Amino acid sequence: MLRVGINGYGTIGKRVADAVRKQPDMEVQGVGKRSPDYVAVNADERDYAVYAADESRADGFREIGIDLAGTVDDLVAESDVIVDATPSGVGAENRPLYERHETPALFQGGEDATVAEVSFNARANYEEAEDADYVRVVSCNTTGLSRFLAPLHENYGVEKARVTLVRRGGDPDQTGRGPINDAVPDPVSIPSHHGPDVQTVFPELDIDTVGLKVPTTMMHVHSVNVTLEERPDDVEDVTELYRNEDRVLTIPDYAGIDGAGTLKDLAQDAGRPRGDIWENCLWEESLTLQGQDLYCMQAIHQEADVVPENVDALRALEGELSSAESRAITNETLGIDLTHLHGRTDLTADRRTPDESLADD
Ligand SMILES: NC(=O)C1=CN([C@@H]2O[C@H](COP(=O)(O)OP(=O)(O)OC[C@H]3O[C@@H](n4cnc5c(N)ncnc54)[C@H](O)[C@@H]3O)[C@@H](O)[C@H]2O)C=CC1
Ligand SMILES: O=C(OP(=O)(O)O)[C@H](O)COP(=O)(O)O
């Protein structure tokens, strides 16, 4: 059993802890927590061993009845590998601690790429992490773009990708973030950091990205335009390509899923923990071919999509299973399978024009 320590038990860390706990080949050694707050109580209630960020904070945990397992220093010493899910920039500060204990570590996408030897996406470059000690799981948007671009790149070649990212203002627990009544260029500079970040996974890929922030906490939405090197025969071929991707939920036209709200409702109805959507959500109706150009829209649940990627990155570091093997285990244990949406209809019927349907009747 791989003993996994999770340092930083916030939006990403708590989800990664729950996902690791579901794996047959891993266990959670414990979670590193800085503040003795409701999230710490939640970790304790879930029977995770809690380690305080440092000794000076220990009394605060004891005062709320949390029997600490030690400090983060102890957690790093007692774990085979650390998932660092601390806020952006703190991971880089923590790296010397992991090095001191010779404990390999995963970092998150808020860190600069230089924090690790490899920037990781399970679908695109799993094998590159096999000889690494330090791996960065790329950010939610970069994960979503990597999953989207990998099959296109392999099947048709990507001449140029252009993406507008409509970014959620903050996560649901980030009460102080906005905007609350605005649409804000974010970042103001063009290209946004996402394009260069995608290139840490696909070094040769030509991609430009721009971002703006809007008042929602639910999901990011990408408006994508890709100029392909080779034109697909039909847009149906592209739709089929994505229907066969394990972490892309293609949304059939009949389903009435018209935005992030209905996607969240779908996830909650499916009994997903915290209403999490681990897949890219790609609207089939938006897939459009014009000459060599493919257009589409996809939604990315920022709190969730990197979670299975962290699990796979842990296995990639171990170097014992292939990407396909690891993803299959992760998908099954987490329940990444909303394909029932497609079992309900003749998929080809979806895309017929009303005239064609009438002719059949
Ligand atoms: N929230 C999101 O939408 C996504 C975040 N990420 C990345 O994941 C990383 C973590 O982000 P979140 O989970 O959103 O942050 P968060 O703020 O929700 O959680 C961070 C946790 O680390 C703890 N912490 C703060 N300082 C610490 C320190 N010095 N030592 C140990 N723990 C400390 C905080 O108390 C909190 O529990 C960042 O790199 C972020 O860019 C990646 C994908 C999506
Ligand atoms: O990884 C994320 O976004 P990103 O892909 O835009 O960097 C997360 O949604 C965190 O975004 P934030 O930096 O606005 O908190």
Side-chain angles (χ1 to χ4, degrees):
M1 282 293 225
L2 186 72
R3 291 169 303 166
V4 182
I6 290 135
N7 188 19
Y9 188 78
T11 303
I12 302 300
K14 63 185 172 185
R15 287 173 166 81
V16 172
D18 290 355
V20 166
R21 187 174 252 181
K22 288 188 168 156
Q23 304 311 307
D25 50 349
M26 306 175 187
E27 63 190 4
V28 178
Q29 176 64 30
V31 302
K33 188 78 185 76
R34 193 175 157 84
S35 312
D37 56 8
Y38 77 96
V39 187
V41 171
N42 177 281
D44 194 41
E45 290 285 322
R46 287 179 188 237
D47 285 332
Y48 290 125
V50 178
Y51 294 72
D54 56 64
E55 193 53 50
S56 69
R57 294 173 173 270
D59 282 349
F61 288 91
R62 292 185 189 115
E63 278 164 21
I64 58 168
I66 294 179
D67 190 11
L68 288 174
T71 63
V72 164
D73 198 82
D74 300 319
L75 176 64
V76 178
E78 292 162 15
S79 301
D80 298 319
V81 56
I82 289 288
V83 177
D84 184 297
T86 58
S88 305
V90 178
E93 290 170 15
N94 288 338
R95 181 169 159 162
L97 170 68
Y98 309 146
E99 286 173 331
R100 207 160 52 243
H101 288 282
E102 296 184 7
T103 306
L106 302 184
F107 297 94
Q108 306 305 313
E111 304 299 323
D112 288 343
T114 51
V115 76
E117 296 142 62
V118 177
S119 288
F120 177 89
N121 172 257
R123 173 64 177 79
N125 69 345
Y126 180 97
E127 294 73 20
E128 287 176 30
E130 285 172 356
D131 296 322
D133 287 328
Y134 299 101
V135 168
R136 180 182 73 127
V137 175
V138 291
S139 79
C140 51
N141 282 310
T142 308
T143 294
L145 289 172
S146 299
R147 286 177 184 166
F148 177 81
L149 289 166
L152 283 185
H153 196 48
E154 288 163 10
N155 285 274
Y156 306 111
V158 171
E159 192 179 307
K160 173 95 190 173
R162 303 166 198 84
V163 185
T164 301
L165 300 105
V166 182
R167 306 186 62 217
R168 60 82 176 105
D171 295 335
D173 67 338
Q174 293 177 313
T175 49
R177 280 181 60 160
I180 57 168
N181 181 26
D182 209 340
V184 180
D186 179 63
V188 178
S189 59
I190 296 174
S192 69
H193 69 270
H194 306 91
D197 213 21
V198 168
Q199 288 164 334
T200 65
V201 178
F202 297 95
E204 306 299 328
L205 200 131
D206 189 358
I207 177 166
D208 283 342
T209 52
V210 297
L212 69 153
K213 249 199 289 208
V214 297
T216 178
T217 59
M218 278 194 272
M219 299 176 86
H220 302 291
V221 175
H222 299 169
S223 170
V224 184
N225 164 221
V226 182
T227 306
L228 299 167
E229 285 171 359
E230 183 194 328
R231 191 187 193 282
D233 289 337
D234 195 270
V235 75
E236 278 299 334
D237 296 349
V238 183
T239 309
E240 202 51 43
L241 192 64
Y242 286 114
R243 282 181 191 151
N244 289 321
E245 285 292 314
D246 59 349
R247 290 185 188 157
V248 179
L249 168 64
T250 58
I251 303 166
D253 307 353
Y254 84 89
I257 295 172
D258 56 3
T262 38
L263 280 167
K264 295 290 279 187
D265 199 36
L266 171 76
Q268 281 162 346
D269 281 353
R272 293 270 180 108
R274 303 182 174 97
D276 280 351
I277 310 170
W278 299 292
E279 306 93 325
N280 289 25
C281 303
L282 175 62
W283 278 278
E284 291 190 353
E285 205 172 4
S286 73
L287 280 166
T288 305
L289 258 183
Q290 286 191 353
Q292 307 277 120
D293 274 7
L294 177 74
Y295 296 86
C296 72
M297 302 216 191
Q298 63 171 1
I300 303 295
H301 185 198
Q302 77 282 355
E303 297 165 282
D305 75 331
V306 299
V307 173
E309 305 296 326
N310 272 273
V311 173
D312 293 329
L314 289 167
R315 289 207 190 87
L317 278 175
E318 284 287 282
E320 284 170 17
L321 295 181
S322 69
S323 168
E325 289 166 336
S326 176
R327 278 158 45 210
I329 298 169
T330 309
N331 294 346
E332 192 184 338
T333 50
L334 297 191
I336 303 184
D337 183 8
L338 286 172
T339 47
H340 67 281
L341 274 186
H342 288 304
R344 297 276 164 177
T345 182
D346 170 4
L347 290 168
T348 53
D350 270 344
R351 305 192 71 80
R352 291 180 303 179
T353 63
D355 284 351
E356 284 169 335
S357 299
L358 283 174
D360 280 3
D361 295 341

